[in-house]
Amino acid sequence: MPHTLPELGYAYDALEPFIDAKTMEIHHTKHHQAYINNLNAALENHTDLQAKTAEELISNLETIPESIRTVVRNHGGGHANHSFFWSILKKDVKFSGDIADGIASSFGGFEQFKDTFSTTAAKLFGSGWAWLVVDNGKLEVMATPNQDSPVSVGKTPVIGLDVWEHAYYLKYQNRRPEYIEAFFHIINWEKVSELYIAAK
Amino acid sequence: MTHELPPLPFAKNALAPHISEETLEYHYGKHHQAYVTNLNKLIVGTEFENASLEDIIKKAEGGIFNNGAQVFNHTFYWNCMSPDGGGKPEGALAEAIDKAFGSFEAFKEKFSQTAVTTFGSGWAWLVKNADGSLEIMSTGNAGNPLREGKTPLLTCDVWEHAYYIDYRNARPKYVENFWNLVNWKFAEKNFAG
């Protein structure tokens, strides 16, 4: 069965004013949809791969035939990353739970984590993602270029922030640091905590 | 040596409707300016303090390369466009394009395809190799053909900031309209140079 665009589970304006409705709509219906279309096109003649999820495909890139490996990496990654991103966004969720304890023990506290994550996201040159991942039970911040995923190097994401310009240009233009600051108002810490508990 | 933001070779509203004044306010006034500002900060006290942009592109790494190459790339990109642009190249460049790609239309299609399929942020280029032959290439992020000993003749910026205000996700439409702006005189001069 071909990959299909997942529902957001909330309205396009649900993250206002931090991410505007227009950006959410274009990001979801145009950018995310294009990754899915390109992934499906690449898998058309590879029936053995069609039942796999995008995460499964990018977890084992070395097993993907070379002729479609780059497309699967880019567009399978784009599909997986965006699906993940939508799932961790929600306004007004309190920072608490196991993830708060984990961040305190790995980074010293929330502010130190926020600094490290924000700097990583701001400094990433070009298009890509900033992540909070679990690696062998430990939390760490990392960046990936383009649509590369921590999953491809055996790490489990619990937070991901899209810093492709399409994620913020309509509202923030060149001001990526303002977008990163806004992101901290829309992290669904309940969901992040669940992901952390499952991964650690 | 302090690098400076060069003046735009046209008015900010001169490329409309293909590229809007608002896009140029940000692209030139903010993005290009930021690369200049960052480069000037980063080179202080390094071996690149008095280096030309070409030397930085050929030898530097990390932030100095990224910002230095982006200063060059943007200045080059502005010169590749003109409100009186469009049409076709003439003379030796036209002949070289026919020889390398079969026809101007075939070249245009291949260059457009390269610009549209460059994944993420980057640039599409028409370059001249050391032996005088022509080639189309794509570079990621700040990449520049000079790094590989190739001479840039023409470029199209495909970072999303180049077209997002005017075209949103529709990069192919931006690339299609880019052809209405191409300053072939500049590319011909680069080819002859």
Side-chain angles (χ1 to χ4, degrees):
Chain A
M1 193 179 117
H3 295 269
T4 55
L5 188 68
E7 298 283 336
L8 289 187
Y10 45 83
Y12 287 130
D13 65 0
L15 306 172
E16 291 267 14
F18 305 107
I19 300 181
D20 60 287
K22 194 63 177 169
T23 294
M24 288 300 293
E25 187 184 345
I26 296 175
H27 202 170
H28 183 235
T29 63
K30 303 291 185 184
H31 292 279
H32 190 170
Q33 183 70 60
Y35 293 120
I36 291 167
N37 294 348
N38 289 328
L39 176 64
N40 284 333
L43 297 178
E44 205 176 339
N45 297 318
H46 298 269
T47 44
D48 54 320
L49 299 176
Q50 289 170 356
K52 292 185 188 292
T53 65
E55 287 77 7
E56 286 167 347
L57 292 169
I58 60 171
S59 296
N60 299 289
L61 280 171
E62 67 286 351
T63 66
I64 306 294
E66 217 173 322
S67 60
I68 59 166
R69 194 176 298 157
T70 300
V71 182
V72 169
R73 175 178 168 179
N74 290 342
H75 297 277
H79 179 25
N81 291 344
H82 283 87
S83 299
F84 179 83
F85 185 49
W86 312 135
S87 81
I88 57 132
L89 300 179
K90 193 179 182 183
K91 265 202 302 199
D92 302 326
V93 182
K94 200 165 162 275
F95 176 65
S96 63
D98 283 42
I99 189 65
D101 298 336
I103 282 177
S105 73
S106 293
F107 298 94
F110 176 76
E111 288 306 321
Q112 291 93 323
F113 157 69
K114 188 179 167 187
D115 270 2
T116 304
F117 186 90
S118 299
T119 304
T120 299
K123 285 202 162 165
L124 192 151
F125 193 77
S127 301
W129 293 75
W131 304 93
L132 177 65
V133 300
V134 179
D135 183 26
N136 289 322
K138 286 213 48 158
L139 285 168
E140 66 182 41
V141 168
M142 67 183 283
T144 58
N146 294 329
Q147 294 297 350
D148 287 356
S149 164
V151 167
S152 300
V153 289
K155 301 180 187 203
T156 307
V158 298
I159 293 177
L161 175 60
D162 188 348
V163 293
W164 282 58
E165 288 173 321
H166 67 232
Y168 59 86
Y169 212 81
L170 292 184
K171 185 174 174 73
Y172 298 97
Q173 293 88 30
N174 60 306
R175 302 181 304 281
R176 192 193 286 182
E178 282 182 30
Y179 161 69
I180 296 166
E181 179 65 33
F183 173 65
F184 279 89
H185 293 272
I186 51 168
I187 297 173
N188 184 345
W189 290 109
E190 282 174 23
K191 174 74 180 179
V192 173
S193 216
E194 279 172 29
L195 293 168
Y196 175 56
I197 291 164
K200 74 175 175 177
Chain B
M1 182 170 95
T2 304
H3 296 274
E4 283 177 18
L5 183 68
L8 268 184
F10 37 73
K12 282 201 186 110
N13 62 3
L15 304 184
H18 309 302
I19 295 179
S20 68
E21 181 171 9
E22 189 187 0
T23 289
L24 289 172
E25 292 282 352
Y26 286 106
H27 200 178
Y28 171 74
K30 304 290 184 187
H31 291 280
H32 196 178
Q33 177 67 66
Y35 295 125
V36 172
T37 306
N38 291 338
L39 178 66
N40 284 329
K41 281 186 199 156
L42 289 167
I43 55 176
V44 175
T46 74
E47 62 180 300
F48 297 105
E49 193 153 12
N50 294 304
S52 66
L53 292 176
E54 287 80 355
D55 275 348
I56 287 172
I57 287 167
K58 285 175 188 161
K59 297 173 197 158
E61 303 291 339
I64 295 180
F65 171 78
N66 285 339
N67 287 283
Q70 284 294 78
V71 172
F72 179 107
N73 292 350
H74 281 87
T75 303
F76 193 85
Y77 170 64
W78 309 135
N79 281 301
C80 284
M81 298 186 290
S82 162
D84 308 317
K88 295 177 174 188
E90 291 173 359
L93 177 59
E95 286 169 26
I97 284 176
D98 285 346
K99 186 172 169 228
F101 307 103
S103 68
F104 177 70
E105 287 309 315
F107 153 74
K108 200 173 143 180
E109 194 181 322
K110 193 169 178 208
F111 185 99
S112 296
Q113 182 67 14
T114 300
V116 166
T117 56
T118 295
F119 194 72
S121 300
W123 300 79
W125 304 86
L126 172 66
V127 302
K128 184 169 78 168
N129 292 310
D131 64 1
S133 63
L134 297 185
E135 187 187 335
I136 290 166
M137 63 185 285
S138 160
T139 61
N141 293 337
N144 182 297
L146 289 169
R147 182 100 172 169
E148 297 167 41
K150 299 167 191 284
T151 306
L153 307 182
L154 179 74
T155 196
C156 181
D157 187 350
V158 292
W159 282 59
E160 287 174 323
H161 65 229
Y163 60 86
Y164 215 77
I165 289 173
D166 299 329
Y167 300 94
R168 313 283 168 87
N169 60 302
R171 192 194 286 184
K173 191 77 191 159
Y174 156 70
V175 174
E176 189 185 322
N177 284 339
F178 170 75
W179 295 109
N180 295 318
L181 298 170
V182 172
N183 180 358
W184 286 110
K185 294 276 164 275
F186 180 69
E188 286 162 14
K189 196 178 70 149
N190 295 327
F191 181 68

